[in-house]
Amino acid sequence: MNKTKVNLFTGFLGVGKTTALRHLIANRPPHEKWAVIVNEFGEVGIDGAALLNDELAVAEIAGGCLCCVAGPQMTATVATLLRRERPDRLLIEASGLAHAAGVIDELRAKPLGDALEVAAVLTLVDPRQFIQPDYHRQPLYRDQISIADVLVANKIDTADIPTMDAFRAQAAALFPPKSLVGEVREGRLDVSWLDAELAAKPRYRPAALPDNASAWQSAGWTFDPELNFDGERLTRFFDDLPKKVPGLVRAKGVFRVLDSWVWLNWAAGQWGAAQVSWRRDSRFELIAPAFEAETVEAWLRECLE
């Protein structure tokens, strides 16, 4: 029996995994059938809506890390996709808070291991974060780096020359070495990287904490698809969020605006927008140390037409 290749995409919150997947999907080899699973920390899935198109099966697992809270759901979701779609390749976008090594263990263990061939793991990093010692002190971040076969510096257009020089030096010094180290902007990954050689992995693994995001709060909201949001009000809302929500970690949503649908994504002090084919509902998710959910909902409702 031919096994389905599976590529895991990992990386910290806001590093651009969904944008990278959108680019790969747009450049998918025409002879390959793909399916996608998106895992999100929050209860309301946003990234699946951003990836949805008419030619691709997309499944969502929300409400926890794949290897922890959502682990059993991942096994069931993967099995259902394989049986229903029979894809040549399965792409899994792990939550930015996922311990990647644990996800790989799940994919290799029975029963999934009988049907899947674990291909290259791609870890995206922001080079500005990668060179900071504080990030490497976090077990979660080290886990995502150590499990990578392909290490990709994304958003290189936001990094200066000294930062990129430091990134290259530190990436080259990783042991065991990566099979490939790439540098891209706007998530423009090379499709051939999905078939990169598997790199040697360290014998040890960072300890997985029982709750690696205990200092953060997450909440999600959904709105009827008939409701239209005002584009200018949404723009002000996203511009003002860092001031309104101290310590903001992540904010993203899919909204109906002027009878079209847009994906809005805030991370690392910047936000952007893209049109999507999602039509099910408008939805928004927020991750921060603390906030009043009722207040955030009131702000969102002020953006309705």
Side-chain angles (χ1 to χ4, degrees):
M1 181 182 75
N2 291 331
K3 292 188 175 185
T4 296
K5 290 184 177 180
V6 55
N7 295 96
L8 178 67
F9 289 79
T10 186
F12 212 57
L13 290 169
V15 78
K17 297 186 296 296
T18 303
T19 300
L21 276 173
R22 283 168 58 89
H23 176 78
L24 284 174
I25 290 167
N27 292 277
R28 172 178 56 90
H31 63 279
E32 281 194 11
K33 184 177 183 180
W34 288 5
V36 178
I37 293 177
V38 178
N39 171 228
E40 297 196 57
F41 174 70
E43 296 293 336
V44 176
I46 303 294
D47 294 343
L51 295 171
L52 191 68
N53 67 35
D54 296 333
E55 300 178 0
L56 207 66
V58 179
E60 293 177 316
I61 300 176
C65 162
L66 280 174
C67 58
C68 304
V69 178
Q73 187 181 351
M74 181 182 76
T75 300
T77 301
V78 171
T80 299
L81 267 182
L82 295 180
R83 182 175 62 253
R84 187 183 68 206
E85 302 295 333
R86 301 186 181 277
D88 302 302
R89 189 182 300 274
L90 175 63
L91 310 180
I92 299 180
E93 178 189 344
S95 159
L97 301 175
H99 282 275
V103 178
I104 292 296
D105 288 343
E106 292 279 346
L107 295 173
R108 285 186 171 145
K110 290 180 178 295
L112 296 182
D114 294 332
L116 295 174
E117 174 191 343
V118 177
V121 176
L122 286 79
T123 297
L124 275 67
V125 297
D126 184 326
R128 297 167 298 178
Q129 297 172 348
F130 186 84
I131 66 172
Q132 299 297 325
D134 286 347
Y135 278 88
H136 288 270
R137 293 190 187 102
Q138 300 180 36
L140 172 64
Y141 197 82
R142 294 200 306 270
D143 179 35
Q144 294 175 347
I145 300 302
S146 67
I147 202 65
D149 299 298
V150 178
L151 180 68
V152 182
N154 192 24
K155 304 182 179 182
I156 61 172
D157 50 316
T158 64
D160 56 24
I161 293 175
T163 296
M164 290 307 303
D165 288 342
F167 165 78
R168 293 173 188 131
Q170 292 183 27
L174 291 173
F175 184 84
K178 303 306 176 188
S179 63
L180 190 152
V181 176
E183 300 175 10
V184 300
R185 62 186 69 200
E186 299 175 352
R188 296 174 186 172
L189 304 185
D190 190 320
V191 176
S192 68
W193 293 353
L194 297 176
D195 291 317
E197 291 185 11
L198 303 187
K201 301 298 189 297
R203 295 182 181 179
Y204 68 90
R205 285 187 178 164
L209 302 179
D211 183 0
N212 55 49
S214 58
W216 290 339
Q217 173 185 344
S218 172
W221 295 263
T222 59
F223 298 86
D224 290 341
E226 293 80 12
L227 296 175
N228 253 311
F229 282 78
D230 182 273
E232 291 187 4
R233 295 176 195 167
L234 275 178
T235 297
R236 289 196 297 270
F237 172 67
F238 270 78
D239 281 340
D240 294 342
L241 261 181
K243 293 176 287 186
K244 290 183 172 182
V245 183
L248 180 65
V249 176
R250 194 73 197 275
K252 52 187 174 180
V254 178
F255 301 93
R256 179 177 178 176
V257 179
L258 295 176
D259 295 324
S260 64
W261 293 77
V262 294
W263 172 52
L264 303 180
N265 180 32
W266 186 99
Q270 297 179 320
W271 68 274
Q275 286 198 326
V276 293
S277 59
W278 180 262
R279 296 293 185 273
R280 192 181 305 168
D281 52 29
S282 293
R283 48 181 56 193
F284 175 74
E285 181 182 81
L286 186 70
I287 302 176
F291 54 87
E292 293 292 334
E294 294 82 2
T295 302
V296 176
E297 181 172 346
W299 294 337
L300 285 167
R301 293 195 175 278
E302 288 174 357
C303 297
L304 288 166
E305 289 188 341

